[in-house]
């Protein structure tokens, strides 16, 4: 595995690289969630690029940019073990040179949920969109892999790719959880043992909603209430807890097709997000009328 820090070195490294090229963009602090993406990418690519860049553009001034976990040597070792060919770890000035003045903005999707001004705001997704667009142009991947853990981000990236005709396939993989249900996140390192215990109410809430839907309850209010009860029992007050269309984040009154239940909550110093896709139980398909054909 080669470690490269500049776009020029990356392009040299990729000049004769066999295709398909896969890209797994991350902010480092690698955990099993990231490594599942890397392993999956390895299995379907001839060349695998893992990027590590803590992107200042997606952090608001009051967020954890300085505290964000950074351990490049550990990340490089994990990426190498998981099969990366190139480890791209650019500095901030390589990505945003002096005078950088371009914006990429995906519309309505970025103003919902995390993009609401009361949450991270749409600037967060402007930061995500610009860095992902740049990484796609730098690497020129055939496939890029993202996690369902950041469901809204995955939708925004799919829209970006479609609207700007990036020749990239976007694969979104399921959320990887610890055995106790907590979704893996680089930010989990901020949690004390007690806070981590409290954070479990997030996945418990999502599971409670999932259980209710499996039992046939499709009404949004009742499904959300089941999740909210678990959060409250665990002492968590969510920033939001909402049922939305998994296609376009529109508000839904009933679980219908593929529906996203998403939650954000502060637990101690960490702001955690999680989600689950709810699907209405399959209705039995009526069997076609039996017609007798005469011999
Ligand atoms: P991050 O380093 O947090 O920007 O995440 C990099 C990529 O890993 C994003 O596509 C995330 O959605 C994905 N990811 C983060 N946590 C998980 C997880 N627990 N399971 C699956 N994918 C994840």
């Amino acid at each position: 595995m080669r470690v490269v820090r500049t776009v020029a070195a990356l392009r040299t490294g990729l000049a004769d690289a066999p295709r398909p090229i896969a890209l797994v963009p991350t902010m480092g602090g690698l955990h099993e969630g990231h490594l599942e993406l890397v392993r999956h990418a390895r299995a379907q690519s001839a060349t695998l690029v893992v990027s590590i860049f803590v992107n200042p553009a997606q952090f608001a001034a009051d967020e954890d940019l300085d505290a964000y976990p950074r351990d490049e040597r550990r990340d490089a070792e994990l990426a190498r073990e998981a099969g990366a060919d190139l480890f791209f770890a650019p500095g901030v000035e390589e990505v945003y040179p002096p005078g950088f003045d371009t914006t990429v903005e995906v519309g309505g999707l970025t103003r919902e949920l995390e993009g609401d001004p009361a949450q991270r705001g749409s600037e967060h997704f402007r930061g995500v969109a610009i860095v992902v667009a740049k990484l796609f142009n730098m690497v020129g991947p055939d496939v890029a892999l993202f996690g369902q853990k950041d469901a809204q981000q995955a939708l925004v990236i799919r829209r970006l790719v479609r609207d700007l005709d990036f020749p990239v396939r976007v694969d979104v993989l399921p959320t990887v959880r610890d055995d106790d249900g907590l979704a893996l996140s680089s930010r989990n390192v901020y949690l004390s043992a007690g806070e981590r215990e409290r954070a479990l109410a997030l996945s418990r809430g999502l599971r409670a909603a999932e259980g209710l839907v499996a039992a046939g309850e499709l009404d949004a209010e009742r499904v959300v209430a089941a999740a909210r009860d678990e959060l409250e029992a665990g002492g968590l007050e969510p920033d939001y807890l909402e049922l939305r269309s998994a296609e376009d984040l529109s508000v839904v009154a009933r679980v219908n097709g593929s529906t996203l239940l998403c939650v954000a909550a502060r637990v101690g110093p960490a702001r955690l997000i999680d989600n689950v896709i709810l699907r209405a139980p399959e209705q039995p398909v009526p069997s076609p009328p039996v017609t007798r054909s005469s011999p």
Side-chain angles (χ1 to χ4, degrees):
M1 184 185 83
R2 284 168 61 186
V3 177
V4 289
R5 300 186 185 284
T6 63
V7 179
L10 175 71
R11 293 215 165 114
T12 305
L14 288 172
D16 302 314
R19 289 193 174 267
I21 296 172
L23 169 66
V24 178
T26 81
M27 298 208 300
L30 295 188
H31 52 63
E32 271 302 306
H34 298 116
L35 296 175
E36 270 297 296
L37 300 182
V38 177
R39 292 187 202 108
H40 206 268
R42 175 71 285 168
Q44 55 175 307
S45 64
T47 303
L48 171 54
V49 182
V50 173
S51 68
I52 304 281
F53 180 61
V54 183
N55 176 29
Q58 68 189 72
F59 287 76
D62 61 348
E63 288 183 340
D64 55 342
L65 177 62
D66 292 338
Y68 201 83
R70 291 169 172 86
D71 187 345
E72 194 190 292
R73 280 174 77 179
R74 177 179 173 276
D75 288 343
E77 187 50 28
L78 290 170
R80 191 188 59 74
E81 280 169 15
D85 298 305
L86 281 161
F87 183 82
F88 180 44
V92 172
E93 293 234 329
E94 183 69 11
V95 178
Y96 301 117
F100 186 88
D101 198 19
T102 296
T103 308
V104 177
E105 184 171 352
V106 179
L109 277 178
T110 68
R111 292 189 275 275
E112 303 292 326
L113 301 170
E114 288 295 285
D116 186 292
Q119 307 301 331
R120 302 188 79 179
S122 59
E123 311 83 71
H124 165 68
F125 288 112
R126 277 211 289 278
V128 170
I130 190 70
V131 82
V132 170
K134 286 187 61 107
L135 286 166
F136 286 175
N137 283 332
M138 291 166 177
V139 175
D142 299 291
V143 57
L145 293 93
F146 297 88
Q148 178 63 24
K149 160 78 168 41
D150 298 280
Q152 185 174 10
Q153 171 176 281
L155 286 177
V156 168
I157 290 164
R158 281 196 193 284
R159 189 66 64 92
L160 172 81
V161 162
R162 196 201 68 178
D163 288 358
L164 296 186
D165 302 300
F166 281 104
V168 183
R169 192 182 82 221
V170 172
D171 281 1
V172 179
L173 298 195
T175 301
V176 177
R177 298 176 181 280
D178 254 333
D179 291 343
D180 56 12
L182 184 68
L184 297 185
S185 162
S186 307
R187 291 190 164 95
N188 291 351
V189 298
Y190 301 153
L191 301 171
S192 68
E195 287 159 352
R196 202 183 176 293
E197 195 58 35
R198 279 210 299 139
L200 296 180
L202 289 172
S203 52
R204 271 204 306 272
L206 298 178
R207 275 206 309 270
E210 217 169 17
L212 203 60
V213 170
E217 179 61 75
L218 302 180
D219 177 73
E221 269 183 35
R222 285 198 280 266
V223 170
V224 169
R228 186 175 296 278
D229 287 350
E230 282 292 339
L231 293 177
E232 281 173 6
L236 294 189
E237 171 67 35
D239 286 351
Y240 60 79
L241 172 65
E242 299 212 29
L243 201 58
R244 298 290 184 105
S245 154
E247 313 287 314
D248 61 9
L249 299 183
S250 57
V251 175
V252 295
R254 285 178 78 71
V255 174
N256 177 13
S258 135
T259 311
L260 195 64
L261 179 60
C262 25
V263 63
R266 274 168 212 285
V267 186
R271 184 170 178 284
L272 303 178
I273 60 172
D274 200 352
N275 68 83
V276 68
I277 295 179
L278 301 174
R279 288 192 180 83
E282 298 257 317
Q283 300 295 324
V285 183
S287 30
V290 180
T291 49
R292 289 228 170 84
S293 50
S294 39

